[in-house]
Amino acid sequence: MNATRWFAWATGLALLLVLTSWATPTMGSASAGSADFESAVEAYRAGDLATAEVLFDGLLDAGLSASDRAILLRNLGNIAYRQDEFMDAVAYYTAATREESRDGDLWHNLELARASAGLEPADAGDLAATAAHLFSLPTAAELRTAGWLLVGLLALVLLVEVLRGGTSPKVAAGLVVFALAGDLALLQVRSMTALEAPAMVVAADGVELSSEPRPGYPAGIDLEPAEVVEVIDRLGQQGQAGAWVKVQSAEGQGWLPESEVLSW
Amino acid sequence: MNGMKNFMVLGLVLLGWLWFAGSAAAQDVAPRVSAHLTTGVAKLGAPVEIIVVVEGSLEGRIGKLPAVDGLAIGKPKGPSTESSMRSINGRMDIERRATWRIPIKTTRTGDFQVPPFRITVGSQNFETQPMQLRVREDLAGAELGYIDLEISPAKIVVGQPFDITLTFGWDAGLAAKINHADLSLPWWGELAGAIEIESAGRTLGGRRTTVGLNGDSQLEVESLGATTIDGRDLVAYRLKKSYLATAAGTVDFPVSHVEFGRVSGGSIFDAPRVIEMYYKSAPAKGLSVAPLPEAGRPIEFGGAVGTIEAFAKADRREVELGDSIKVKVTWSGDGNLEFFDLPDLAHAPGFEGLRLFGVKDELKSRSARVSIFDLAPTDANLTEIPPIPLVVYDPEEARYKTVRTSAIPIRVHALKGTGGLADLGDEAPRDDIRDIVTRGFSGALGVAPPPVKSPFKRPDVWLPGSAAGLLLLFGFLRPRVRRGLNPAAPLERRRRRALRVLRRELAKAQSAEDKLDAFAAFLGARTRTGAAMWHGRRVAGAADMALAPALAERLDRHLEALEEAAWGPHGSPPNDEELVGLAQELVKEGL
């Protein structure tokens, strides 16, 4: 009897320790990028937007943490806005909200840029838009962290239920399972709808896709301004004149000049 | 069945042959053209028609009709066609005929000749013969009837509304006989230089009746009943219309007629038949429209013409700085209320301390237009809404003048801690983006896995897998740990609390008997029995107790000592620490 009880306690504690250790984000190592960041900020303050843009853009690495990417994307959006490139600003701000969705200033900038570009507000203010906004608030990393914490909490509650019994542990376990199911569902939806190489149409009047990567071959698919698509192929070196990208939209696939989209 | 089919085929062949033969015959007959008037003598105002008949063809085209002073020749109506087939001595003959009717309105008396005009049939051209028409005054109609066209005012300028009043009727003595009336108004719907606007309004309670209009439509007019006009007792009717002059020059009203009389029949079985008919004409009139003078025209002139009055009313007098005040201005009078531009208060002198947010404008009636100006004071020192000016050209005085509303006193309360909206200048406050982020950038590499599109590519299974495993582990361990006991049952809860309760009861004990009761209660709780079971009981060698022999003997000694101290004459109970220490050892041993 005593051996079983100790076994249960030991198992629960070990599981809790393992789970909480998994839930703790791993700290990355600081890089030399901080110096470039400071230089970019100084250039921006000095009004040298071109230099600031190059430096911020150079730091924008896929391996950065979400919060760092959000900072860089927002700053790039500000640079675009200051240069009256409102569609580019909309693209940068939209990308930043995907990384950090609870930044009120970021949403303010996004709505202002959309208004300046003549687009409808990102948050229409109706019930559906509010619900979508609410669901977009936690990041995927936060959802994972919350999921692991909930698993640990569930282990603790189940342990109490095994050893002590009673109604309260059962109710608590039910609530934790419910919250965990919601977290997992949201995480799964987020995972399924995430794009590997997202891009936004920055042509002010929208653009028509081509069936081949050259002019004169319309594919009959029109993309709206600020429509988010996924880049699935590329012709020519990125950033060079004449480069084309193949994108996947809700209506289908097609090519368009790289200058008509902004990818992040 | 076959016989019936053969008969039908034969009939169709026969009809086809007849049609072919008839066509062939018709092609052989040269077309003939004739034209004549329905009458050679007509009363002034009475309808006259030219009947054009083409025989031998169902088609034809009437050329340009001649113009005759005193006669208004209308557009041809038709053709109406008819075909007939007859057999003469076994030969089938088909006759074809097309007929056009060209209406003529007589506008004055005299002898007229309608010149020849061209009619084209196929490739052939024909000319009609000259036709003579004598138009005479209808003396009886002139004596019995009445029609008058009044235009008010007599002289106007471009942009000014004007009203026409057409009054017509007949002698009151004919009232019982007259069952037909038709107005001939050649200017109806074709008034050059003017557009129709909403009428000044109909007489409330007036009776309405319907009369014919230009022989092809109906018109609702106001019935005046028996009335006296120019000393004559008449049954009269009235028609009012309002127009707006759009161009300088003359607006012409050709001769108007009223046709009244008595007809019979008029059903689907009986065509209307005129019993008696009279005609009365009103002379042609012209309205002179003068251009708006350039001299003295203010730059603020927005096209207001006529007599216009303005009245203003505010929805509030006490306002906070920047709050909206709705100023309702009612424009009234006989001017062109619908067509002038509202004064531009955003740039009007005297309105520097007010910001215009918009205007809601509505034409209530021909003589009333309401404009609601949404104004907000930007100056805390403002004491009134200045008079709202409107530049109007007054045709009676033949000059431009400014109509103003009365000033509206207001009191503006400045917002606390502000210098007033005027400090912001003319431009509305402009929003701007938030600044760039300069702190918080770590440059550290993230741990978030790259996003995946499909759960089957790189499934993130650890989290749901852990949750599922945990639940499975729970299901596996629970029965093995509990072994059929419910840890929440009262006995089990009492057992878990037994050591704690023992410490508490020993601290409160006043006598050895109390200590014995407390220890017996502890043993009863731990063994899921009662305290009474442990009074006088010994455990050494007991088969139901799985205690080590040394511990069992030690327990028995303590029980004996407690009982001796409680019930015997001598003896002292073990101290509390010793009892608690024994109890802890018993719990550790699984008691």
Side-chain angles (χ1 to χ4, degrees), chain A residues 15 31 37 44-45 63 65 68 74-75 78 82 108-109 112 144 148 155 161-163 165 188 191-192 230, chain B residues 431-438 441-446 452-453 455 457 460 466 470 478 482 487 496:
Chain A
L15 186 61
S31 70
F37 184 81
Y44 183 86
R45 291 285 181 244
S65 66
D68 280 351
R74 173 178 159 181
N75 290 355
N78 279 33
R82 290 290 179 233
H108 170 88
N109 288 2
L112 203 59
R144 283 191 192 88
W148 286 119
E161 203 282 332
V162 168
L163 297 178
Q188 193 63 24
S191 176
M192 291 175 70
E230 181 172 20
Chain B
D431 204 356
D432 196 11
I433 55 173
R434 306 285 191 262
D435 194 15
I436 61 169
V437 180
T438 59
F441 181 79
S442 66
L445 296 179
V452 290
K453 230 180 139 179
K457 280 185 184 173
D460 191 358
S466 298
L470 190 61
R478 190 173 187 263
R482 289 190 171 186
R496 288 198 298 270

Side-chain angles (χ1 to χ4, degrees), chain B residues 22-23 25-26 29 32 54-58 81-86 88 92-98:
Chain B
S23 300
V29 176
R32 287 180 290 127
V54 173
E55 292 176 299
S57 175
L58 296 178
T81 59
E82 58 181 300
S83 299
S84 60
M85 185 169 58
R86 60 181 177 177
I88 302 176
M92 300 301 295
D93 191 13
I94 297 177
E95 291 185 350
R96 294 182 173 84
R97 177 192 294 248

Side-chain angles (χ1 to χ4, degrees), chain B residues 107-130:
Chain B
T107 58
R108 64 176 174 85
T109 57
D111 294 346
F112 304 97
Q113 183 185 64
V114 179
F117 53 92
R118 178 175 296 177
I119 298 170
T120 304
V121 181
S123 59
Q124 291 180 274
N125 291 326
F126 300 89
E127 280 204 340
T128 61
Q129 295 296 319

Side-chain angles (χ1 to χ4, degrees), chain A residues 2 4 7-8 11 15 22 26 28-29 31 33-34 37 41 44-45 63-65 68 71-72 74-75 78 81-82 93 105 108-109 112 144 147-148 151 154-155 158 161-166 170 180 184 187-188 191-192 194-196 230, chain B residues 430-455 457-458 460 462-464 466-467 470-471 473-474 476-478 480-483 485-489 495-496 528 587-590:
Chain A
N2 273 337
T4 306
F7 173 75
T11 304
L15 186 61
W22 282 354
T26 305
S29 58
S31 70
S34 298
F37 184 81
V41 171
Y44 183 86
R45 291 285 181 244
L64 286 175
S65 66
D68 280 351
I71 290 172
L72 294 173
R74 173 178 159 181
N75 290 355
N78 279 33
Y81 188 91
R82 290 290 179 233
Y93 290 141
D105 289 348
H108 170 88
N109 288 2
L112 203 59
R144 283 191 192 88
W148 286 119
V151 168
L154 180 63
L158 292 179
E161 203 282 332
V162 168
L163 297 178
R164 292 286 184 265
K170 289 187 176 67
L180 184 59
L184 290 175
L187 194 59
Q188 193 63 24
S191 176
M192 291 175 70
L195 302 178
E196 288 184 53
E230 181 172 20
Chain B
R430 184 169 178 269
D431 204 356
D432 196 11
I433 55 173
R434 306 285 191 262
D435 194 15
I436 61 169
V437 180
T438 59
R439 297 182 184 278
F441 181 79
S442 66
L445 296 179
V447 294
V452 290
K453 230 180 139 179
S454 165
K457 280 185 184 173
R458 287 183 54 193
D460 191 358
W462 283 108
L463 188 55
S466 298
L470 190 61
L471 292 172
L473 185 65
F474 168 74
F476 175 77
L477 284 180
R478 190 173 187 263
R480 285 162 179 76
V481 171
R482 289 190 171 186
R483 296 190 175 186
L485 296 174
N486 181 8
R495 183 169 177 269
R496 288 198 298 270
R528 300 184 183 89
V587 170
K588 284 180 183 175
E589 283 296 316

